[in-house]
Amino acid sequence: MMNDKAELFERTPIPKAVAKLAVPTILSSLVMVLYNLADTYFVGMMNDPVQNAAVTLAAPVLLAFNAVNNLFGVGTSSMMSRALGRKDYDTVYASSAFGFYCALFSGILFSFFCSIGKAPLLNLLGADAATWEATGAYMRWTVTFGAVPAILNVVMANMVRAEGAAFHASVGTMSGCLLNILLDPFFILPIGLNMGAEGAGLATFLSNCVACAYFLVLLFVRRKDTYVCIHPAKFTLRSNVVLGVCGVGIPASIQNLLNVTGMTILNNFTSSYGPDAVAAMGISQKVNMVPMYVAMGVSQGIMPLVSYNYASKDYKRMRGTVWFAAKAVLGFIMAAAVGYFLGAGRIIVLFLDNEAIIAYGTRFLRGFCLGLPFLCLDFLAVGVFQAVGMGREALIFAVMRKILLEIPALYLLNFLFPLYGLAYAQFAAELVLAVAALVVLMRLFKGLEKQRAQAE
């Protein structure tokens, strides 16, 4: 089995290797989007904008989980794949144990602080008298009880994917998501428990527990054939492990915290226009996530291959992987953007047949979809930076995206075009970042080729 992993990273043709790693990751990403859309769809069937708004308002907190996921998921997987490329197996074991136990502890802390600070947190998220109770009930299951399993299952999926087992990583993720979709109508709708947004939160909690259990069983069954190790004895605070994981993980974590900040600002602006506008914004964002998660799935899927070949100094294979992935995904993303722009109204009505929400959502979705092709290039570039340990460059891009570009654009566009301008802030930011991404990637590959030529 260990030789099979080396074969995949070193000798399998690039299109086949990318497909084996990226396709399961894309599928699991799409299933994750599907379960997000299912929450929105089934809550929308109650025809109560307050319930839909509650799910939207809580979204930044769930997105904040990704700060921990990226710190110990992306950081650990990058460290593991680079260590595998160097054949440094002791570091692989130590990195995976470090990532697992730090993620577990962080999930407990996340749950504790969000619970004791519930009231100011709901105010910060933009909840008002109408949405306060529903938002708090949704967060009780997804955050207070659900933070640990939600974080652990994503971190373990990243670690399993780091050694090339993308199929198992995706099965674990998809099993939880599919269970969530099956449970949603029973918990949310009057035909079942009639819990509304709270029911969506309960379904999410249970599905994350199942996904977490899958990975724990998988690691136990394959304990003699996997590089992923969560044995407490392997946990270490050695400087090379801590710095290697955090050097990539902290910038990735900051990037997600900035995403949370941007989403919170967006929701606060939107909430001043009422629950209909908030519900429409939430639907538009989740629909826009479908092609966005495809791009993210490709970026995450090729990371182990890029990391391994970077560490083993096979720069030609590394570069070929990135350019093949870029060409493969960009065509799909552009087609999706065109489809969204032309069919925005017909898409929104699938989730909530409310005239005001359809009108809002149509204009929101048309603004969001314009940024998709540029967002795709940005994801790929940041994925390469994370894969090769370029944490500083990943952090610079995160700061550029939110602090220098998107957040100022939210304020400016909302001032110039109240409410509707908000949906175009991402497009403005990603257009600039896509150009910067291409420039930095070209410089990186040119520098690596120069190093290879000098070594020869």
Side-chain angles (χ1 to χ4, degrees), residues 232-437:
K234 288 293 183 179
F235 179 82
T236 179
L237 294 175
R238 290 197 328 245
S239 60
N240 69 312
V241 172
V242 175
L243 294 176
V245 171
C246 294
V248 171
I250 288 177
S253 178
I254 291 172
Q255 175 181 329
N256 271 279
L257 289 174
L258 292 174
N259 287 343
V260 172
T261 303
M263 182 177 283
T264 303
I265 292 171
L266 177 63
N267 284 345
N268 271 278
F269 275 135
T270 309
S271 64
S272 64
Y273 295 90
D276 284 352
V278 174
M281 184 65 77
I283 293 169
S284 303
Q285 287 176 317
K286 288 184 178 180
V287 169
N288 198 55
M289 282 181 181
V290 175
M292 187 176 79
Y293 269 58
V294 171
M296 190 181 298
V298 172
S299 176
Q300 291 178 346
I302 67 170
M303 273 183 65
L305 192 58
V306 173
S307 295
Y308 188 100
N309 285 286
Y310 172 78
S312 63
K313 301 188 186 301
D314 190 348
Y315 302 134
K316 182 179 179 181
R317 184 172 173 83
M318 172 193 162
R319 182 180 61 185
T321 297
V322 175
W323 292 134
F324 174 80
K327 289 185 288 186
V329 72
L330 198 54
F332 168 79
I333 297 298
M334 293 180 71
V338 172
Y340 277 6
F341 192 88
L342 296 177
R346 290 187 290 274
I347 294 171
I348 300 298
V349 75
L350 295 174
F351 296 91
L352 208 58
D353 191 3
N354 175 297
E355 188 174 338
I357 291 175
I358 294 168
Y360 283 134
T362 298
R363 296 181 69 174
F364 292 157
L365 184 56
R366 284 177 174 165
F368 283 133
C369 73
L370 292 179
L372 285 172
F374 308 103
L375 189 70
C376 173
L377 292 174
D378 185 31
F379 279 165
L380 280 171
V382 171
V384 172
F385 301 154
Q386 292 170 342
V388 303
M390 292 170 60
R392 184 185 66 177
E393 285 76 6
L395 178 59
I396 290 171
F397 267 64
V399 171
M400 283 179 62
R401 174 192 284 134
K402 293 297 177 182
I403 296 179
L404 298 182
L405 296 171
E406 189 172 320
I407 291 176
L410 284 172
Y411 281 93
L412 178 61
L413 292 174
N414 188 59
F415 174 76
L416 295 175
F417 311 101
L419 181 62
Y420 298 109
L422 295 171
Y424 293 85
Q426 186 180 76
F427 165 63
E430 296 301 338
L431 177 60
V432 176
L433 283 172
V435 175

Side-chain angles (χ1 to χ4, degrees), residues 65-284:
F65 288 169
N66 288 336
V68 180
N69 295 341
N70 277 11
L71 175 54
F72 300 115
V74 174
T76 300
S77 65
S78 175
M79 183 69 171
M80 287 174 62
S81 294
R82 282 179 281 137
L84 283 171
R86 299 190 304 269
K87 316 296 185 187
D88 182 2
Y89 302 121
D90 180 63
T91 298
V92 180
Y93 298 137
S95 299
S96 55
F98 174 80
F100 176 83
Y101 286 104
C102 286
L104 175 62
F105 183 64
S106 298
I108 293 170
L109 286 180
F110 202 114
S111 176
F112 175 74
F113 285 116
C114 286
S115 298
I116 64 172
K118 179 181 177 181
L121 179 58
L122 286 172
N123 278 323
L124 180 65
L125 293 171
D128 56 19
T131 57
W132 184 282
E133 183 178 350
T135 306
Y138 179 75
M139 288 176 57
R140 181 183 307 119
W141 291 107
T142 55
V143 181
T144 302
F145 298 128
V148 171
I151 289 169
L152 274 186
N153 90 69
V154 176
V155 170
M156 286 192 285
N158 273 281
M159 293 194 296
V160 169
R161 191 179 297 117
E163 63 173 358
F167 173 77
H168 286 291
S170 301
V171 169
T173 303
M174 289 191 291
S175 64
C177 293
L178 292 173
L179 177 62
N180 196 119
I181 294 169
L182 292 174
L183 293 177
D184 265 348
F186 176 73
F187 287 127
I188 294 170
L189 299 176
I191 60 171
L193 298 180
N194 196 28
M195 296 172 68
E198 183 179 6
L202 176 56
T204 298
F205 165 68
L206 293 174
S207 66
N208 282 330
C209 288
V210 168
C212 204
Y214 173 88
F215 285 115
L216 290 172
V217 171
L218 174 70
L219 295 180
F220 177 77
V221 171
R222 302 181 69 204
R223 60 192 180 278
K224 294 182 180 178
D225 297 311
T226 179
Y227 293 114
V228 181
C229 176
I230 61 172
H231 196 287
K234 288 293 183 179
F235 179 82
T236 179
L237 294 175
R238 290 197 328 245
S239 60
N240 69 312
V241 172
V242 175
L243 294 176
V245 171
C246 294
V248 171
I250 288 177
S253 178
I254 291 172
Q255 175 181 329
N256 271 279
L257 289 174
L258 292 174
N259 287 343
V260 172
T261 303
M263 182 177 283
T264 303
I265 292 171
L266 177 63
N267 284 345
N268 271 278
F269 275 135
T270 309
S271 64
S272 64
Y273 295 90
D276 284 352
V278 174
M281 184 65 77
I283 293 169
S284 303

